Amino acid sequence: MKTEKKKAEGNVSTVMQFVLLGFSDLPDLQGLLLGVFSVIYILILLGNGLIVIITRLDPALHKPMYFFLANFSSLEICYMSVTVPRTLVSLWTQDRSISFLGCATQMCFFLILEATECFLLAVMAYDRYVAICDPLRYPLVMSQKVCVQLAIGSWVCGIPVQIGQTCQVFSLPFCGSNRVNHFLCDIPPILRLACGDTSAQEVSVYLVAVLFVAVPFILILASYSKIISTILRLPTAQSRAKAFSTCSSHLLVVVLFFGSATITYLRPKSNRSAGTDKLLSLFYTILTPMFNPMIYSLRNKDVIAALKKIVP
């Protein structure tokens, strides 16, 4: 397998590129994995792309809830395009090498989009909170201007922090193995390869994870505690079911994404393993984006009606 290192001062080898091992431990399944990931990627592009299109074309979906859903689907397409194409190329060519700069770039975009997803899910929870708990003021509170500002904020707020964190990680010396036991350049597997003390970077990872994972999750919990309290006070079972149906899809996505992301970044270092990291990353980088269009379309009558107009 191709490796490349550069001799530094003191006759120490400095890593100039990495090797993403990915699924190389399953040599007999390379063709099957290529086919499966290709189908999943196409499904994600089609499913999320269709949601973006119908929310733009159907006037009945020109509401804040579907504006944020279109942003979320666009995010999932970007999220997948940062990781899956590189994995497909590796499975097709069996060349798993990635340059130092390429690895840093992939990590940076991956972390930025991950932060965007956390905040966008929190914004979507706030939208449901206002719609259910303060319906009379909903058009005023969630005006088009406010929705655009919240969406832009979700997309850009993580950029400076995640660029800084990526620079911090890749400023470490990498003078040993360049074999990354993962299918993408994520922080935990890269830190395992760093030489010297990485405690400062590990503390930084926890602080950033608290800021971009724990804080949005707490805001989502606060929103849903108010939502559930309001729903339980509704007079009829039918009205309670209708109110809950408007946020159940979002709640399911929150559980899927935040559950796996929290375990990945906030669990103790002593409990980490490459296999577990890889499995969790598969869950929230590939499976969750694939299920999102189905979750939102199958559980939403407005989306189903819009789909029927396009696909008779």
Side-chain angles (χ1 to χ4, degrees):
M1 189 174 293
K2 184 181 178 182
T3 59
E4 182 181 335
K5 298 181 181 180
K6 179 181 178 181
K7 292 292 182 179
E9 291 183 10
N11 202 31
V12 177
S13 295
T14 301
V15 172
M16 296 300 292
Q17 71 171 15
F18 294 98
V19 177
L20 294 172
L21 297 180
F23 307 96
S24 59
D25 55 336
L26 303 171
D28 297 333
L29 299 179
Q30 298 297 292
L32 176 62
L33 290 172
L34 175 62
V36 170
F37 284 131
S38 297
V39 170
I40 289 176
Y41 187 48
I42 292 171
L43 289 175
I44 289 170
L45 292 178
L46 292 177
N48 287 285
L50 189 57
I51 287 180
V52 173
I53 291 171
I54 63 174
T55 53
R56 294 287 296 175
L57 295 181
D58 195 325
L61 300 183
H62 291 175
K63 301 174 184 178
M65 175 182 177
Y66 300 108
F67 169 75
F68 292 125
L69 179 57
N71 271 269
F72 190 70
S73 293
S74 300
L75 171 66
E76 297 291 48
I77 292 173
C78 297
Y79 198 49
M80 286 295 300
S81 297
V82 169
T83 57
V84 175
R86 182 68 187 75
T87 302
L88 293 177
V89 170
S90 296
L91 289 170
W92 177 261
T93 64
Q94 295 300 301
D95 179 8
R96 299 182 175 88
S97 60
I98 183 171
S99 68
F100 192 88
L101 179 60
C103 190
T105 302
Q106 185 188 57
M107 178 187 288
C108 187
F109 278 102
F110 177 72
L111 293 176
I112 289 171
L113 294 172
E114 202 170 56
T116 300
E117 183 150 356
C118 291
F119 281 107
L120 195 55
L121 286 170
V123 167
M124 293 170 77
Y126 175 70
D127 170 69
R128 292 299 83 208
Y129 159 73
V130 178
I132 293 174
C133 300
D134 197 4
L136 296 179
R137 297 182 64 242
Y138 180 67
L140 177 64
V141 175
M142 300 303 293
S143 64
Q144 182 178 7
K145 181 180 178 180
V146 171
C147 290
V148 171
Q149 289 174 340
L150 289 172
I152 292 174
S154 298
W155 279 92
V156 305
C157 65
I159 292 176
V161 175
Q162 300 296 15
I163 289 177
Q165 182 162 243
T166 302
C167 292
Q168 185 184 38
V169 170
F170 281 90
S171 66
L172 291 166
F174 295 92
C175 52
S177 172
N178 67 341
R179 296 159 67 87
V180 182
N181 192 4
H182 212 297
F183 60 89
L184 62 91
C185 292
D186 200 0
I187 294 179
I190 295 297
L191 280 182
R192 291 193 193 99
L193 302 181
C195 303
D197 183 20
T198 62
S199 57
Q201 284 74 20
E202 289 167 10
V203 170
S204 175
V205 170
Y206 277 103
L207 291 177
V208 172
V210 168
L211 177 63
F212 289 107
V213 178
V215 171
F217 187 62
I218 291 171
L219 294 175
I220 291 170
L221 288 180
S223 296
Y224 273 104
S225 65
K226 293 287 188 179
I227 290 171
I228 293 172
S229 175
T230 302
I231 290 175
L232 292 177
R233 292 199 301 268
L234 294 176
T236 65
Q238 184 178 2
S239 60
R240 289 194 293 270
K242 183 178 180 181
F244 186 73
S245 68
T246 65
C247 56
S248 58
S249 298
H250 175 260
L251 187 58
L252 181 57
V253 172
V254 166
V255 172
L256 290 173
F257 178 79
F258 277 98
S260 53
T262 299
I263 296 172
T264 298
Y265 292 103
L266 293 179
R267 75 184 192 275
K269 183 180 179 181
S270 58
N271 294 336
R272 293 184 181 276
S273 70
T276 303
D277 284 347
K278 199 185 301 185
L279 181 62
L280 289 170
S281 296
L282 267 177
F283 197 86
Y284 68 81
T285 62
I286 294 180
L287 295 182
T288 302
M290 181 180 70
F291 289 133
N292 284 345
M294 291 183 283
I295 291 171
Y296 280 107
S297 61
L298 294 177
R299 299 180 63 85
N300 190 296
K301 293 180 180 179
D302 292 337
V303 174
I304 293 175
L307 284 171
K308 288 180 178 178
K309 293 177 184 178
I310 298 177
V311 186

